[in-house]
């Protein structure tokens, strides 16, 4: 049942040009960055050779690209998630799902899984760029895998937050803007932490991208993984609650 | 004339003291009714009377403020999935995805209702056949006319062959030919399943339903079989035409006549009270050689019942108006 909804979701996404445009734009921007980064590497190479314990290709080319990808996707994910529930509410197709013999949890999980499919497609396409380097050089595949997982977790939490905000309104633009605001807030929240002194630990812990950074460096800390999983579970739970109370209030 | 109560066969839908508030506004107030197997129930009421709200509650799209709904023996709150699987629902706006084709959409709906892969193809064929959609299976729903979208909505409601089909104003936006087709479709549905049909169009109820309920401002104010309603509506108005018309006074003096209105020099409209008045009038007209050549029972009074019931002022209204 969850799969049925997820399949429909991914189909609807790719039936509109939005998904294609998003994939193309991201691919183009990061492709350009990728080439620039390779160019950089050639300039740096003579100096690197003289160093002991030099960072490898994966550190110099791949990690910065995905660092940038995270920021670009922070701006783009709201566009992917905005329609997920707001559109159903606007077109009243949500009634079809409410009157079907499925529970609200199944409905929300199906929707989230649909978004997750899209994220996997997106991330896998991005991964092809660094993998193409395998033709010419050796890569740290373990690190690459860590980056892949990091992207999935980060984008998964973006999607969960976006889905919740989409469930609050029947206006897609409002859903997109508020998602963007929320994600941006969670990104910059640790910028002030230096001047905070006491509460520093907590505030910087909330930052979405801080946890991302350690994973990009190839450090697989269970606290980071737990952080993302908790964000996802929290917002999926909130979405279920919201849809349930929609039936009460209207 | 109550039908004998069959204890072995409980009603398919039992609604008890259903209420719904929107803030302080009472949309539905203490509505109770049963729907039996094979019955087509017309839910009649003016706009904003609470029809759609009731339908939404019965189908689980809206939670009731108070009251209980049992579908096929399953409580809608305790056992929502089993209860909902017995229902096919067409909301006011057909819940269609414009970006899908008719086939894709109906397949999705069938899957949502847990039809297995093998059941799917025949169910899809049958639903399309029923609703006259064979020709448009590969077209995008967004490009179809309103009438066809409405049919897709109905097909969606019957694809899983539910024992109860709930249709909320199914003929809105259709042309007269389509309306006829939909009505005959509803009639054919009524042969092996139960249907609840909400509408504000009176002839629709007369044409398709076995039983009528009239709802006004959230309260159920009338509940009767269609025969009773017809009985009540028929019979007290006649349009008659004579070749040698008697004058109005003569007609008014005939036994059982209440009022006489002249339509044109040959025609009168007569309101009467007595039983078998038509027969009586024919006899009198033969005796007096009035040359009766037209006798049409008027059913407009059915509409009058509806208007009378739905616009009658309650004591509260009178007070309100006075204040």
């Amino acid at each position: 049942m969850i799969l049925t909804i997820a399949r429909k979701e991914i189909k609807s996404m790719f039936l509109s040009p939005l998904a294609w445009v998003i994939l193309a734009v991201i691919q183009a921007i990061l492709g350009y960055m990728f080439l620039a980064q390779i160019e950089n590497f050639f300039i740096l190479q003579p100096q690197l050779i003289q160093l002991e314990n030099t960072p490898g290709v994966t550190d110099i080319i791949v990690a910065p690209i995905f660092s940038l990808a995270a920021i670009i996707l922070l701006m783009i994910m709201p566009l992917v998630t905005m329609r997920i529930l707001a559109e159903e509410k606007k077109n009243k197709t949500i009634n079809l799902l409410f009157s079907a013999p499925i529970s609200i949890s199944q409905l929300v999980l199906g929707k989230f899984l649909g978004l997750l499919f899209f994220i996997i497609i997106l991330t896998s396409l991005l991964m092809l760029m660094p993998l193409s380097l395998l033709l010419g050089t050796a890569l740290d595949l373990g690190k690459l895998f860590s980056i892949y997982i990091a992207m999935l977790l980060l984008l998964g939490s973006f999607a969960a937050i976006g889905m919740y905000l989409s469930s609050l309104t029947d206006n897609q633009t409002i859903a997109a803007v508020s998602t963007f605001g929320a994600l941006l807030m969670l990104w910059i929240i640790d910028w002030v932490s230096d001047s905070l002194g006491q509460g520093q630990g907590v505030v910087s812990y909330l930052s979405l991208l801080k946890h991302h950074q350690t994973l990009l460096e190839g450090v697989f800390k269970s606290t980071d993984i737990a952080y993302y999983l908790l964000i996802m579970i929290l917002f999926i739970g909130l979405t279920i609650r919201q849809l349930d109370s929609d039936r009460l209030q209207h | 004339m109550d039908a004998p109560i069959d204890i072995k066969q409980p009603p398919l839908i039992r609604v008890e003291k259903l209420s719904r508030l929107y803030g302080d506004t009472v949309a539905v107030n203490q509505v109770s009714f049963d729907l039996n197997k094979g019955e087509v129930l017309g839910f009649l009421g003016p706009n904003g009377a609470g029809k759609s709200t009731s339908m939404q509650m019965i189908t689980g799209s809206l939670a009731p403020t108070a009251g209980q709904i049992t579908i096929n023996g399953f409580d809608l709150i305790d056992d929502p999935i089993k209860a909902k699987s017995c229902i096919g629902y067409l909301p006011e706006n057909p819940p269609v995805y414009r970006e899908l084709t008719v086939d894709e959409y109906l397949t999705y709906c069938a899957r949502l209702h847990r039809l297995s892969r093998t059941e799917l193809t025949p169910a899809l064929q049958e639903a399309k056949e029923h609703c006259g959609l064979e020709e448009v299976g590969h077209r995008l729903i967004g490009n179809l006319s309103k009438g066809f979208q409405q049919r897709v909505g109905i097909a969606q409601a019957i694809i899983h062959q539910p024992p109860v089909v709930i249709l909320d104003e199914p003929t809105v936006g259709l042309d007269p030919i389509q309306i006829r087709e939909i009505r005959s479709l509803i009639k054919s549905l009524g042969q092996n399943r139960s249907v609840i049909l909400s509408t504000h169009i009176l002839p629709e109820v007369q044409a398709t339903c076995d039983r009528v309920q009239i709802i006004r401002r959230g309260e159920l104010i009338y509940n009767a079989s269609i025969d009773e309603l017809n009985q009540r509506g028929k019979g007290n108005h006649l349009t008659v035409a004579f070749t040698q018309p008697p004058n109005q006074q003569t007609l008014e003096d005939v036994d059982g006549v209440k009022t006489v209105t002249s339509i044109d020099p040959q025609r009168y409209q007569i309101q009467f009270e007595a039983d078998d008045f038509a027969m009586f009038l024919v006899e009198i007209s033969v005796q007096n050689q009035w040359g009766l050549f037209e006798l049409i029972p008027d059913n407009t009074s059915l509409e009058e019942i509806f208007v009378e019931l739905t616009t009658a002022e309650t004591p509260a209204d009178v007070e309100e108006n006075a204040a």
Side-chain angles (χ1 to χ4, degrees):
Chain A
M1 206 43 51
I2 295 174
L3 275 179
T4 305
I5 294 172
R7 261 170 65 182
K8 145 81 183 49
E9 219 38 64
I10 200 84
K11 192 176 199 170
S12 280
M13 252 183 248
F14 281 101
L15 281 174
S16 85
L18 187 65
W20 297 101
V21 172
I22 286 173
L23 287 180
V25 167
I26 294 175
Q27 204 72 8
I29 293 176
L30 292 178
Y32 179 76
M33 265 299 289
F34 181 61
L35 290 178
Q37 211 63 31
I38 291 178
E39 196 61 37
N40 253 345
F41 180 75
F42 284 128
I43 296 168
L44 286 173
Q45 209 173 19
Q47 298 158 29
L48 287 173
I49 292 169
Q50 291 157 14
L51 290 174
E52 254 178 85
N53 211 351
T54 49
V57 182
T58 322
D59 294 308
I60 291 181
I61 298 181
V62 184
I65 286 176
F66 279 91
S67 204
L68 179 76
I71 293 165
I72 296 174
L73 284 166
L74 186 144
M75 290 181 257
I76 284 176
M77 275 311 276
L79 300 176
V80 179
T81 58
M82 67 179 182
R83 49 163 290 283
I84 195 95
L85 286 162
E87 191 184 41
E88 300 249 16
K89 282 182 156 189
K90 182 104 187 168
N91 296 340
K92 317 253 177 194
T93 44
I94 195 93
N95 279 331
L96 179 74
L97 299 168
F98 278 162
S99 62
I102 53 170
S103 67
I104 298 221
S105 322
Q106 284 174 319
L107 159 61
V108 171
L109 284 175
K111 289 272 178 193
F112 184 70
L113 202 63
L115 286 173
L116 220 50
F117 278 158
F118 180 78
I119 290 168
I120 290 173
I121 294 170
L122 176 79
T123 317
S124 305
L125 280 175
L126 293 182
M127 264 345 244
L128 289 178
M129 276 191 289
L131 284 177
S132 70
L133 290 177
L134 276 177
L135 294 173
T137 176
L139 284 176
D140 183 344
L141 287 180
K143 220 170 226 182
L144 223 49
F145 181 71
S146 160
I147 290 173
Y148 185 66
I149 296 293
M151 287 309 286
L152 289 188
L153 287 171
L154 181 76
L155 296 183
S157 27
F158 285 0
I161 294 170
M163 181 171 71
Y164 172 59
L165 289 166
S166 179
S167 77
L168 292 177
T169 170
D170 60 7
N171 184 321
Q172 297 191 27
T173 317
I174 291 177
V177 171
S178 54
T179 308
F180 178 65
L183 295 182
L184 202 61
M185 194 65 211
L186 280 176
W187 176 36
I188 63 172
I189 198 163
D190 69 327
W191 286 7
V192 292
S193 62
D194 293 339
S195 55
L196 270 182
Q198 237 177 9
Q200 185 181 354
V202 182
V203 172
S204 76
Y205 188 82
L206 283 176
S207 172
L208 271 171
L209 292 174
K210 193 144 199 147
H211 296 270
H212 188 233
Q213 210 54 48
T214 49
L215 276 168
L216 283 189
E217 285 156 16
V219 185
F220 221 79
K221 275 204 298 198
S222 53
T223 47
D224 294 333
I225 312 279
Y227 170 81
Y228 286 118
L229 290 180
L230 279 175
I231 291 246
M232 283 185 242
I233 291 168
L234 172 69
F235 282 96
I236 290 172
L238 283 174
T239 311
I240 294 172
R241 241 188 80 105
Q242 176 60 32
L243 286 186
D244 243 337
S245 72
D246 264 2
R247 288 170 57 231
L248 293 174
Q249 288 161 0
H250 251 264
Chain B
M1 248 192 33
D2 280 344
I5 295 161
D6 190 348
I7 298 166
K8 276 178 213 153
Q9 224 180 35
L12 264 181
I13 292 187
R14 163 156 283 175
V15 174
E16 281 167 288
K17 296 194 173 167
L18 192 64
S19 297
R20 170 75 206 195
L21 304 173
Y22 290 111
D24 289 334
T25 321
V26 183
V28 174
N29 191 7
Q30 304 261 338
V31 167
S32 306
F33 64 90
D34 286 351
L35 177 74
N36 297 314
K37 214 169 178 178
E39 197 175 33
V40 180
L41 171 67
F43 223 73
L44 203 61
N47 291 325
K51 287 174 303 202
S52 290
T53 307
S54 311
M55 306 269 135
Q56 280 181 309
M57 285 193 285
I58 296 169
T59 55
S61 325
L62 199 63
T65 310
Q68 200 183 19
I69 301 165
T70 319
I71 300 164
N72 214 359
F74 302 113
D75 189 291
L76 190 60
I77 290 165
D78 297 337
D79 219 341
I81 292 186
K82 277 189 187 140
K84 283 183 198 172
S85 65
C86 304
I87 279 189
Y89 175 43
L90 170 71
E92 236 173 328
N93 308 301
V96 293
Y97 296 100
R98 302 174 57 84
E99 72 270 19
L100 298 183
T101 67
V102 173
D103 283 345
E104 285 170 339
Y105 174 70
L106 291 177
T107 308
Y108 175 56
C109 296
R111 287 220 183 94
L112 278 181
H113 283 279
R114 299 163 197 275
L115 288 197
S116 71
R117 210 172 278 261
T118 45
E119 293 166 319
L120 217 143
T121 324
L124 182 68
Q125 278 311 323
E126 205 188 317
K128 282 202 298 185
E129 214 170 281
H130 249 321
C131 303
L133 292 167
E134 295 104 324
E135 309 278 301
V136 296
H138 296 290
R139 287 184 55 189
L140 287 181
I141 295 176
N143 294 342
L144 294 177
S145 67
K146 171 87 173 93
F148 268 104
Q149 291 188 7
Q150 193 75 23
R151 291 194 210 190
V152 174
I154 296 175
Q156 165 270 125
I158 60 174
I159 192 160
H160 52 292
Q161 313 221 322
V164 187
V165 181
I166 296 179
L167 306 170
D168 199 349
E169 309 206 349
T171 54
V172 168
L174 302 185
D175 67 41
I177 300 165
Q178 291 172 329
I179 289 181
R180 262 176 120 161
E181 286 172 6
I182 297 292
R183 282 183 192 164
S184 66
L185 173 64
I186 294 168
K187 276 216 115 128
S188 73
L189 286 177
Q191 282 161 8
N192 45 13
R193 55 197 98 211
S194 308
V195 180
I196 300 182
L197 174 78
S198 103
T199 181
H200 53 255
I201 306 163
L202 209 63
E204 193 156 291
V205 172
Q206 279 180 298
T208 51
C209 298
D210 304 323
R211 195 152 63 84
V212 186
Q213 284 183 343
I214 297 179
I215 188 169
R216 182 178 68 111
R217 294 197 198 164
E219 281 174 51
L220 211 54
I221 49 170
Y222 187 76
N223 182 355
S225 76
I226 193 74
D227 297 335
E228 266 173 73
L229 188 70
N230 278 337
Q231 214 55 53
R232 194 172 158 177
K234 224 191 285 171
N236 64 352
H237 277 91
L238 283 178
T239 304
V240 288
F242 306 101
T243 45
Q244 265 99 47
N247 66 31
Q248 193 161 340
Q249 193 54 47
T250 326
L251 272 177
E252 273 172 8
D253 290 341
V254 174
D255 274 349
V257 172
K258 224 170 149 189
T259 57
V260 178
T261 329
S262 175
I263 301 170
D264 61 33
Q266 287 193 314
R267 282 188 176 74
Y268 292 105
Q269 192 187 40
I270 301 176
Q271 192 188 2
F272 61 91
E273 297 172 307
D275 290 340
D276 298 328
F277 178 76
M279 222 148 63
F280 181 59
L281 187 71
V282 173
E283 275 169 28
I284 289 191
S285 125
V286 171
Q287 278 168 21
N288 297 321
Q289 299 188 324
W290 289 339
L292 177 74
F293 69 91
E294 210 176 275
L295 183 92
I296 306 166
D298 265 341
N299 278 344
T300 48
S301 46
L302 188 56
E303 232 158 274
E304 277 162 25
I305 291 179
F306 177 63
V307 171
E308 180 193 318
L309 282 169
T310 52
T311 57
E313 292 191 354
T314 61
D317 293 331
V318 177
E319 274 166 38
E320 233 170 74
N321 291 344

